[in-house]
Amino acid sequence: MTEPFSAAALRETVTGPVLEPGDDGYDAEVVSFNLNLPLRPALAVGVTSVADVQAAVRFAARHRMPVAVRASGHQAAKDVRGAVLINTSRMDGVRIDAPNRRARVEAGVLWAAAVAAAAEHGLAPMSGSAPTVSAIGYTLGGGQSPVFGRSEGYAADHVHLVEIVTADGQLRQVTADSDPDLFWAVRGGKGNMGVVTAIEFDLFPVTEFYGGGLHFAGERMADVLRVWRTWAPSLPEQATTSVAVLRYPPVPDLPEPLRGAFVLHVRYSYLGEAAEGERLLAPIRAVAEPLIDGVRTLPYTQNALIHLDPPGPEAFFDRTTTLREFTPEVLEALIGFAGPDSGNPLLGLEIRALGGALDREPAVPNAVPSRGIPYMMWGLGVGGQDQADLLGSWLDRMVETFAPWVFDERRMVNFLSKDQATTAAQVRLAYGAERYDRLARIKRRVDPDNVFRLNHNVEPA
């Protein structure tokens, strides 16, 4: 049973704000990127330092309260009522070690800031598709870069040091040498082991790339995908691609060809000479005239133009699954599920072609569970709770439709929705049994009471 707590006692030891429901500033402190998943913790702590994090964790442990962590709020896995929510967004320090091509980022740093800081030195991090995502949260879940992924692997593969506050309130500097098991577990185990306050990772000598996106009329979806399904596996590891079937809303901030349109968006990047990147893309460009051709040489600071993810919070529902192959039968199922005559109300259905270095174990292994998966599929429905049944049923139908071609039950942890991996058995499937069991043993050592359980939870062994 949770013992009564006094927020005043925590305020005496924390520099940042400590807020309860009803306090001024509480709503802004706890806002989630998914407006359908409001966060209403018992306490929201806006930490400004490692000492603040330690105080908040010790307070929660003393009062037997679970701890949730929010940086950008892009992924919410569980209801946080009764919890202490640690908002790390004020911990926004970035340090670039240009000679060694490394960066150190604190817990609240978003990719936009890390990319900008590295670019000043002619370097680039393995950032994701959205610049508003937390660099640390993304990396702890693996981190699949739409530019570097197939040539360099997961972002988690390139971490050298993790600073983490564990359930006992202790700050640990963790490396492959100092604590090999915990270092393995944190990189891929998401937030299950504690509050990560900083990480150090590799940067790459890249200032630009050839890439962007091609928007085709949705009616040409089958024609383009018929080529894409054999073209994507033929690409060298320096090239990365994904596709998204999109039904854009009729909103004025979209350009006229896309406003209210049904389209197929082919995303593409190539790390190499632009002429070679253009040559590789030629089979896709030859299928049909795109509505918009946004593929060109881009500075790495504009890598968000590949996916064009929404910049601000939305009310949405989502699901993820995998594919072991993209055969003509899969294409036929995709056309039936999301094609022009499907009546599908989802905003988007995305397929990412993986492979390359994403399949290979790094020099220092980690807990990332998705190696070897050829394709990741993600569905997104935008709407409020009044559309929950409609959109949820279509997302469930997506998983069911493509179940005959699922690779296995492992998943990209960063793409799991609140409605997936909700039990220990399901989380074990998402990680794979052997990996989950090792995570559970390590969790028993660093968080035996499962203080960090408001996630896709690995329970202590």
Side-chain angles (χ1 to χ4, degrees):
M1 183 176 179
T2 302
E3 72 175 85
F5 65 85
S6 168
L10 185 56
R11 291 189 184 103
E12 292 178 1
T13 58
V14 171
T15 303
V18 177
L19 303 171
E20 297 178 88
D23 289 346
D24 289 343
Y26 173 89
D27 289 343
E29 201 70 31
V30 303
V31 68
S32 171
F33 193 82
N34 185 351
L35 300 179
N36 283 329
L37 302 176
L39 304 175
R40 308 300 295 177
L43 282 179
V45 185
V47 296
T48 63
S49 65
V50 170
D52 281 359
V53 174
Q54 291 176 290
V57 170
R58 287 168 178 155
F59 179 92
R62 187 163 61 249
H63 294 283
R64 299 185 180 277
M65 301 169 73
V67 171
V69 182
R70 173 194 174 276
S72 63
H74 271 70
Q75 187 179 38
K78 288 189 179 163
D79 194 318
V80 301
R81 281 178 290 188
V84 174
L85 176 70
I86 295 176
N87 180 351
T88 65
S89 61
R90 294 170 180 81
M91 297 179 66
D92 58 0
V94 180
R95 186 173 70 228
I96 305 299
D97 177 359
N100 291 307
R101 294 180 184 171
R102 289 190 184 180
R104 181 185 187 275
V105 300
E106 293 183 341
V109 173
L110 306 185
W111 272 128
V115 168
E120 293 179 7
H121 302 272
L123 299 169
M126 293 183 67
S127 55
S129 61
T132 58
V133 164
S134 155
I136 285 183
Y138 159 97
T139 303
L140 298 185
Q144 187 250 321
S145 166
V147 175
F148 289 106
R150 281 176 34 82
S151 60
E152 302 294 344
Y154 287 95
D157 301 347
H158 295 273
V159 173
H160 294 277
L161 179 145
V162 175
E163 295 180 1
I164 182 171
V165 175
T166 46
D168 56 6
Q170 296 300 309
L171 175 67
R172 305 174 188 229
Q173 285 198 338
V174 184
T175 67
D177 295 325
S178 70
D179 191 335
D181 277 346
L182 185 55
F183 191 60
W184 175 87
V186 172
R187 297 170 304 130
K190 200 68 176 180
N192 269 286
M193 303 298 159
V195 184
V196 173
T197 57
I199 61 173
E200 293 182 7
F201 53 80
D202 288 325
L203 299 173
F204 298 87
V206 170
T207 58
E208 62 184 25
F209 66 97
Y210 182 79
L214 300 168
H215 282 92
F216 294 97
E219 290 70 26
R220 300 303 303 272
M221 169 183 169
D223 298 329
V224 176
L225 287 177
R226 198 169 288 117
V227 175
W228 186 88
R229 75 170 192 84
T230 57
W231 170 80
S234 75
L235 292 173
E237 292 184 1
Q238 291 76 20
T240 300
T241 186
S242 64
V243 290
V245 182
L246 298 168
R247 287 173 165 83
Y248 282 118
V251 293
D253 55 343
L254 286 171
E256 180 58 41
L258 304 183
R259 198 174 303 153
F262 166 51
V263 300
L264 179 75
H265 190 203
V266 178
R267 291 84 168 261
Y268 174 73
S269 71
Y270 179 71
L271 281 170
E273 294 295 327
E276 178 63 8
E278 185 172 3
R279 185 192 70 79
L280 289 168
L281 184 61
I284 298 297
R285 278 203 171 114
V287 178
E289 184 71 24
L291 299 173
I292 296 179
D293 186 336
V295 178
R296 58 192 185 278
T297 298
L298 292 169
Y300 189 79
T301 52
Q302 295 184 25
N303 69 85
L305 294 179
I306 300 173
H307 281 243
L308 296 173
D309 287 357
E314 300 267 4
F316 64 89
F317 303 90
D318 63 324
R319 299 283 193 282
T320 188
T321 188
T322 64
L323 297 172
R324 68 175 181 270
E325 56 191 354
F326 197 158
T327 61
E329 292 75 20
V330 173
L331 176 56
E332 183 179 353
L334 183 60
I335 299 299
F337 176 76
D341 302 319
S342 64
N344 192 315
L346 300 179
L347 173 69
L349 189 149
E350 177 186 54
I351 299 174
R352 297 191 181 193
L354 304 178
L358 294 166
D359 285 348
R360 298 193 287 270
E361 281 288 343
V364 180
N366 56 44
V368 173
S370 44
R371 296 184 205 281
I373 295 173
Y375 299 93
M376 188 276 293
M377 177 180 283
W378 184 63
L380 174 71
V382 173
Q385 291 296 336
D386 59 327
Q387 297 186 63
D389 290 344
L390 172 66
L391 297 176
S393 66
W394 274 86
L395 290 165
D396 289 340
R397 181 175 159 191
M398 178 196 83
V399 174
E400 294 163 4
T401 297
F402 297 97
W405 301 283
V406 71
F407 182 73
D408 61 24
E409 294 302 319
R410 289 177 298 130
R411 297 290 181 268
M412 276 192 176
V413 179
N414 283 341
F415 285 88
L416 287 171
S417 77
K418 185 180 179 182
D419 299 309
Q420 294 182 290
T422 58
T423 68
Q426 291 167 348
V427 175
R428 192 168 188 262
L429 288 173
Y431 274 100
E434 183 178 351
R435 189 175 294 102
Y436 179 90
D437 291 346
R438 183 179 177 187
L439 285 167
R441 291 192 298 271
I442 298 165
K443 176 102 171 192
R444 180 177 60 197
R445 173 164 66 90
V446 298
D447 183 14
D449 295 323
N450 206 10
V451 171
F452 299 102
R453 60 181 179 270
L454 299 177
N455 42 40
H456 293 99
N457 188 229
V458 174
E459 296 183 356

